[in-house]
Amino acid sequence: MAKVTVDGIEVEVPNGATVLQACEAAGKEIPRFCYHERLSIAGNCRMCLVELEKAPKPIASCAYPVADGMVIRTDSPMVRNARRGVMEFLLINHPLDCPICDQGGECDLQDQAYGYGMDRSRYREAKRAVKDKYVGPLIKTIMTRCIHCTRCIRFSQEVAGVPELGATGRGEAMEVGTYVEQALRTELSGNLIDICPVGALTSRPYAFAARPWELRKTDSVDVLDAVGCNIRVDSRGPEVLRILPRTNDAVNEEWLGDRSRFALDGLKRRRLDRPWVRRDGRLLPATWPEAFAAIARRLTALPGHRIGAVAGDLADAESVVALKDLMTALGSANLDCRQDGAALDASRRDFYLFNTTIAGIEEADALLIIGSNPRVEAPVLNARIRKRAIAGRPFPVGYIGPHGVNLTYPAAHLGEGPAALRALLGAAHPFAETLRKADRPMLILGRGAVARADGAAVLAAAWQLATETGMLRPDWHGFNLLHLFGGQVGALDLGFVPGEGGKDLAAMLAGDVDALWLLGADGFDPARIPPSTFVIYQGHHGDRAASRADVILPGAAYTEKDGTYVNTEGRVQRGYLSVFPPGEAREDWKIVRAFSEGIGKRLPYDDLDALRARLAGANPVFGTIGTLERRGCADTRGPAGDPAALGESPFVLPITNYYQADAISRASDTMAECARIYGGAAPAKLAAE
Amino acid sequence: MSGGSGASPENGGGIGATQAADEAERHQPAHFAFDEESERRIPGILARYPETRKASAVIPLLWLVQEQMRRQTGSAWVPKAAMDVVAARLGMPPIRVYEVATFYFMFNTRPIGRHHLQVCGTTPCMLRGAEEVARACRDATGIKAYGETSADGMFTLSEVECLGACVNAPVLQVDLDYYEDLDYESTVRLIEALRRGERPRPGSVIGRQASAPEGERTTLLDVPGE
């Protein structure tokens, strides 16, 4: 530890910390442009100058390591003068277009110019103008505003793992761009907008939409992938205008995937904003009582075991438990939330969770990925793996899955199908040896790898491999299942799987039920539903399943309701209502509750608190919000399934089109544009590293 | 500060690197491959750096590209396709090569004339008549401004910073050779010789030996003991 005095305040910071960090520890705010906590240090903007006693000139605090006994002044005349000089230079070539700049109101340069800028310019020469660059459909560039902090270059190289941005030319001719005018091939490109301290990189879909002070900001949680990124939903009136990440070091740090950030225009399109009832083969608008009556007529005539329910990928835990209770009241145990047919074993929580936790990835020292492309399935989680991979300590990564996948970090390709997994079981395989030797090995099993005929065998084999290679210990749990959407784990936690004598999705689709209640279930082909089945679709988008429905109950999207979601780690998080559901659409649990009353099977909760008490009763994990206990593995008995029954067919990745993977993003024009430009499939070109 | 990149503010009011690249776009060859002579030299260059740091060879390899282009096309420049080849050869992202190639003015990122006339405009040369040399270059080639190539494709004119030959100022670098102690007339004569395909002897055009004083010796005249 080093003892440093900052403006008379003595602080202790670890050796190797920077002066800037010491100043922050003392509670002093240091202006900066190029410095960013999660990127490497560049030290090129010079805004963070401070005075160091006995040093002849001001020092760049972001790039200056502390030493014991340093005396720093952050607010001396010398410091102010130096920063004023830096600001004057920065503003020489920065346009005065704040009134038409989308960064206005949340611009680091604007804010700091209030502190250190002059009220006039001494510069009389011609200002520089820079041609705007094309870096993709999501980011609008106004490169004349660029102050060359190089944050975007470092972000794309270090965090996103796509070294495609750079600074070409030099001096006055220096420009930031890709040089070859191509869209950045990353699923994390939206974060460039957040890290750009000026208005050079702004959001293209949000261009000229609003000023930050006009927006109502609601903290919430993302459900479009299973990471459960913390988000802030900015809305104005009835409209969600943008979605930004919120810092949560345990989950998403401060990043957000492009689908989660930009699919929001899908919240306005193809919405189900009123009930519909099929009469004489045609779906006709209806009122809520008519829709409920149509369902009640049908359901009350059926025995419980002829009714089934499927929970969708984006469903909140409240509506799932309400639907489960309704089905129980109707006498049905035909429940399923595994629309992809994943052979998940819901009997124990660590069979289907990402047990290492996302932050825990940084402690791991070997990784095996089976049948998953985390870059596409959970870009923010993949960034965490990359962070670990470039951290310096060795981190061997093995990968079993299709060829041609670029994970953004080096990975040894071990095979394409379960055969490679079989080879790892047993002694001889060198990568199994690597895992065994590692202190904290982990594996990531993709949900796609268990959504197949031999899924149970794959799950069991992965668990067996985890056992054999020392991943399952009381102090370390290296077995991880990577889910795809924010509603998947919550439904498993609530046991929304076939109960005693209940039928699973495949059986329900085979004609074993006469009525099917789909709660936002768009994850399977509705053509598989037998024509005679009566289908109730409760959801927010007229996506795949709604057109097949006999009754449509309009529900709320994740931005339109207070909901509880569980991410792939098993972290329970709350989302909050940002805007009201459109038209006659209602929060989903209320729909189920209202219907239950109409058929005389009133569910025993009248408000959200009572429902959440019921949630916590169904599974105690719903009583702990936000926090997560690190799990070890005390019981190494594996999930159901016979490892010997592994098939031969190669693994197929579940998400082939990152940008259009769920009902909301399929309705989004922005995402359609991305899918067109990036060719639908994930950016797969191998980067030279 | 002009020269190869053509990206200086003098020749286009703040023309940037990418704009220069755009202009070069129509000349960009689709392919580039190292020829036999270049390939012969590559192993020696790579051997200078550890395998894990082979990206350090990016400047020598880009120079190799430029020299090969001079041999093959008579225009010493580095096409984008060649930068990609260098990136692949060194296992580095192409953008890191673009950054280096556009940073250094000795790499031309767009086609230049057969001869690259590089006028030193830094203070000693300027004081000794660099502006006359530049005027002679313009008059003899028909070029209007720095960064341009003459209509016959023979010459490209650039202004460069100090070439380190101040004692023999003013200096004009033609391709890889220095011509020193120039004035208007001698510069015109030099350019006309180049146009005829001749290659006058590099160095001082007034016969000065190395950096010795002009004319007679002025120091060390007395020999001790005489």
Side-chain angles (χ1 to χ4, degrees):
Chain A
M1 299 293 272
K3 219 172 245 167
V4 182
T5 311
V6 181
D7 292 344
I9 304 166
E10 209 167 83
V11 288
E12 267 198 68
V13 288
N15 290 324
T18 63
V19 170
L20 189 145
Q21 285 164 331
C23 294
E24 288 193 328
K28 299 292 168 187
E29 195 180 326
I30 306 293
R32 85 285 304 267
F33 295 112
C34 72
Y35 177 78
H36 192 282
E37 294 86 347
R38 300 185 204 278
L39 303 176
S40 64
I41 293 168
N44 55 16
C45 78
R46 316 311 286 182
M47 198 61 204
C48 64
L49 294 173
V50 295
E51 186 178 348
L52 170 62
E53 199 175 75
K54 297 197 188 85
K57 49 185 186 170
I59 58 161
S61 60
C62 73
Y64 206 92
V66 290
D68 203 32
M70 269 184 174
V71 179
I72 311 284
R73 269 186 293 276
T74 66
D75 202 18
S76 65
M78 183 219 234
V79 171
R80 281 164 171 278
N81 214 20
R83 289 183 188 161
R84 279 198 199 106
V86 170
M87 178 58 74
E88 191 173 7
F89 274 116
L90 285 174
L91 292 178
I92 276 182
N93 275 324
H94 190 82
L96 290 174
D97 62 352
C98 302
I100 57 153
C101 176
D102 262 325
Q103 193 84 355
E106 49 189 5
C107 173
D108 290 357
L109 186 61
Q110 197 177 32
D111 293 349
Q112 290 170 33
Y114 275 94
Y116 300 100
M118 277 213 289
D119 59 349
R120 71 204 65 195
S121 174
R122 291 188 288 177
Y123 188 69
R124 295 284 167 267
E125 291 74 16
K127 281 197 173 201
R128 186 178 99 115
V130 182
K131 214 177 127 191
D132 294 339
K133 309 289 186 297
Y134 176 78
V135 292
L138 299 173
I139 298 177
K140 181 181 164 188
T141 66
I142 299 100
M143 296 314 287
T144 304
R145 295 180 188 147
C146 176
I147 58 168
H148 298 168
C149 72
T150 70
R151 273 189 190 178
C152 54
I153 298 173
R154 285 173 283 146
F155 175 86
S156 56
Q157 162 115 18
E158 294 161 16
V159 179
V162 285
E164 291 170 12
L165 273 177
T168 51
R170 71 157 131 163
E172 192 163 12
M174 174 173 159
E175 291 185 8
V176 172
T178 55
Y179 192 64
V180 288
E181 293 289 294
Q182 62 179 10
L184 279 179
R185 284 181 291 249
T186 171
E187 298 78 13
L188 292 166
S189 65
N191 298 298
L192 293 172
I193 298 163
D194 293 341
I195 60 158
C196 181
V198 297
L201 306 176
T202 55
S203 168
R204 198 187 284 273
Y206 173 74
F208 307 127
R211 285 300 191 187
W213 55 85
E214 303 171 321
L215 301 171
R216 196 173 61 243
K217 298 155 183 90
T218 313
D219 287 353
S220 193
V221 53
D222 173 54
V223 301
L224 299 188
D225 63 34
V227 177
C229 291
N230 290 205
I231 55 170
R232 192 186 91 194
V233 180
D234 285 4
S235 59
R236 188 178 55 190
E239 228 183 329
V240 174
L241 286 178
R242 64 173 177 177
I243 291 175
L244 298 175
R246 220 162 14 106
T247 305
N248 185 339
D249 282 338
V251 182
N252 57 319
E253 300 184 273
E254 57 190 86
W255 316 128
L256 187 60
D258 283 350
R259 185 173 71 220
S260 306
R261 186 191 293 259
F262 291 109
L264 58 94
D265 63 324
L267 292 168
K268 290 185 291 186
R269 294 196 178 81
R270 287 199 227 155
R271 287 306 299 268
L272 301 170
D273 57 357
R274 62 189 309 168
W276 298 74
V277 175
R278 191 177 293 277
R279 289 195 191 91
D280 307 325
R282 286 179 59 213
L283 276 171
L284 298 172
T287 63
W288 276 106
E290 285 168 9
F292 279 169
I295 303 170
R297 247 195 324 274
R298 193 66 190 247
L299 291 195
T300 46
L302 288 172
H305 71 272
R306 299 298 295 173
I307 305 170
V310 181
D313 292 332
L314 308 180
D316 54 311
E318 283 83 354
S319 60
V320 170
V321 79
L323 185 58
K324 187 181 178 188
D325 288 347
L326 174 68
M327 286 297 138
T328 309
L330 289 168
S332 167
N334 305 327
L335 307 170
D336 212 340
C337 61
R338 300 160 302 183
Q339 296 180 77
D340 49 2
L344 294 167
D345 186 340
S347 65
R348 221 171 81 191
R349 224 174 161 230
D350 60 346
F351 290 162
Y352 61 84
L353 289 184
F354 200 95
N355 298 295
T356 304
T357 73
I358 295 169
I361 293 170
E362 292 182 42
E363 294 165 29
D365 48 16
L367 167 65
L368 174 66
I369 299 172
I370 305 164
S372 168
N373 179 2
R375 174 169 178 188
V376 170
E377 293 164 24
V380 173
L381 187 143
N382 197 54
R384 192 73 82 124
I385 302 175
R386 180 175 161 80
K387 183 179 179 187
R388 171 63 191 87
I390 62 172
R393 293 169 292 140
F395 188 58
V397 180
Y399 169 74
I400 301 174
H403 278 288
V405 166
N406 173 12
L407 295 166
T408 71
Y409 38 85
H413 193 259
L414 304 175
E416 289 189 78
L421 191 54
R422 200 181 298 128
L424 285 168
L425 292 168
H429 198 285
F431 196 79
E433 198 53 40
T434 307
L435 291 174
R436 228 185 309 273
K437 277 198 195 128
D439 193 30
R440 297 186 152 188
M442 63 181 283
L443 68 80
I444 296 177
L445 182 60
R447 194 176 157 120
V450 294
R452 39 189 273 144
D454 60 347
V458 172
L459 181 67
W463 185 274
Q464 190 189 332
L465 180 65
T467 319
E468 284 180 9
T469 52
M471 295 181 187
L472 308 177
R473 303 197 306 256
D475 63 328
W476 175 255
H477 203 317
F479 179 85
N480 299 293
L481 209 113
L482 182 56
H483 292 267
L484 303 174
F485 297 101
Q488 292 177 325
V489 179
L492 288 169
D493 279 343
L494 291 167
F496 206 90
V497 288
E500 199 74 28
K503 295 160 192 128
D504 66 3
L505 179 67
M508 288 190 252
L509 294 181
D512 285 3
V513 293
D514 294 319
L516 197 53
W517 190 305
L518 303 179
L519 178 64
D522 286 300
F524 60 92
D525 184 0
R528 288 167 61 200
I529 304 173
S532 60
T533 307
F534 180 79
V535 178
I536 304 135
Y537 181 80
Q538 176 185 350
H540 41 80
H541 273 77
D543 198 49
R544 291 175 181 168
S547 56
R548 169 61 186 84
D550 294 287
V551 177
I552 292 175
L553 304 175
Y558 69 107
T559 51
E560 296 155 4
K561 59 187 168 191
D562 291 336
T564 305
Y565 301 93
V566 188
N567 79 350
T568 193
E569 305 168 283
R571 186 185 304 271
V572 182
Q573 301 186 104
R574 289 258 160 89
Y576 294 94
L577 180 142
S578 170
V579 296
F580 289 99
E584 292 177 43
R586 292 292 179 269
E587 291 185 39
D588 291 274
W589 76 269
K590 289 181 180 167
I591 297 172
V592 176
R593 165 72 177 69
F595 175 75
S596 72
E597 186 147 20
I599 57 165
K601 296 186 190 303
R602 194 173 70 84
L603 297 178
Y605 19 83
D606 297 334
D607 56 26
L608 202 56
D609 289 338
L611 175 56
R612 284 183 172 164
R614 161 75 184 117
L615 266 184
N619 190 337
V621 298
F622 287 99
T624 53
I625 302 298
T627 57
L628 191 67
E629 295 238 337
R630 282 294 291 278
R631 290 175 288 268
C633 184
D635 183 358
T636 57
R637 271 176 302 160
D642 177 13
L646 286 172
E648 290 303 324
S649 61
F651 291 122
V652 178
L653 298 176
I655 295 183
T656 49
N657 180 350
Y658 169 73
Y659 297 99
Q660 295 174 307
D662 53 80
I664 296 172
S665 59
R666 277 192 291 265
S668 157
D669 279 356
T670 312
M671 291 293 101
E673 170 83 352
C674 286
R676 189 180 64 73
I677 285 168
Y678 293 108
K685 197 188 140 199
L686 283 164
E689 270 211 300
Chain B
M1 56 155 236
S2 170
S5 79
S8 75
E10 291 94 326
N11 59 23
I15 178 175
T18 41
Q19 196 167 342
D22 288 351
E23 282 175 19
E25 201 56 50
R26 57 177 182 271
H27 307 287
Q28 292 286 355
H31 302 287
F32 177 88
F34 284 116
D35 66 6
E36 224 170 276
E37 185 176 341
S38 300
E39 286 290 358
R40 204 170 51 245
R41 290 171 58 187
I42 289 173
I45 293 169
L46 292 181
R48 290 181 217 158
Y49 311 99
E51 177 62 22
T52 53
R53 297 279 183 274
K54 64 180 174 182
S56 303
V58 61
I59 291 179
L61 285 203
L62 285 171
W63 187 251
L64 218 52
V65 168
Q66 188 157 299
E67 288 308 296
Q68 178 180 330
M69 288 298 285
R70 187 199 305 282
R71 270 199 311 279
Q72 289 178 335
T73 68
S75 173
W77 70 296
V78 184
K80 207 163 66 194
M83 298 184 210
D84 293 337
V85 168
V86 170
R89 182 65 68 100
L90 299 179
M92 60 198 288
I95 184 70
R96 300 280 99 87
V97 180
Y98 307 153
E99 285 180 321
V100 171
T102 55
F103 184 89
Y104 292 104
F105 292 146
M106 282 174 77
F107 294 125
N108 304 310
T109 51
R110 50 180 175 173
I112 60 161
R114 179 162 294 274
H115 299 296
H116 193 185
L117 307 177
Q118 298 156 82
V119 182
C120 174
T122 311
T123 320
C125 282
M126 192 199 75
L127 292 173
R128 296 271 291 154
E131 280 158 12
E132 282 299 288
V133 174
R135 187 167 66 86
C137 288
R138 288 197 296 270
D139 291 351
T141 60
I143 293 172
K144 297 265 185 322
Y146 289 125
E148 285 181 11
T149 299
S150 63
D152 57 4
M154 282 295 285
F155 302 100
T156 295
L157 181 64
S158 298
E159 184 181 31
V160 293
E161 295 303 325
C162 185
L163 293 173
C166 315
V167 274
N168 294 5
V171 186
L172 175 69
Q173 184 183 349
V174 179
D175 303 329
L176 304 179
D177 297 327
Y178 279 18
Y179 291 91
E180 300 151 0
D181 293 318
L182 291 163
D183 55 17
Y184 185 91
E185 286 76 21
S186 54
T187 305
V188 170
R189 275 200 302 280
L190 171 63
I191 288 170
E192 274 161 4
L194 289 168
R195 185 175 281 128
R196 289 192 299 272
E198 295 165 20
R199 194 76 190 194
R201 209 173 73 88
S204 172
V205 297
I206 56 171
R208 189 206 303 246
Q209 189 183 3
S211 301
E214 205 176 324
E216 293 297 307
R217 268 201 310 190
T218 57
T219 55
L220 301 178
L221 295 173
D222 53 330
V223 180
E226 273 188 15

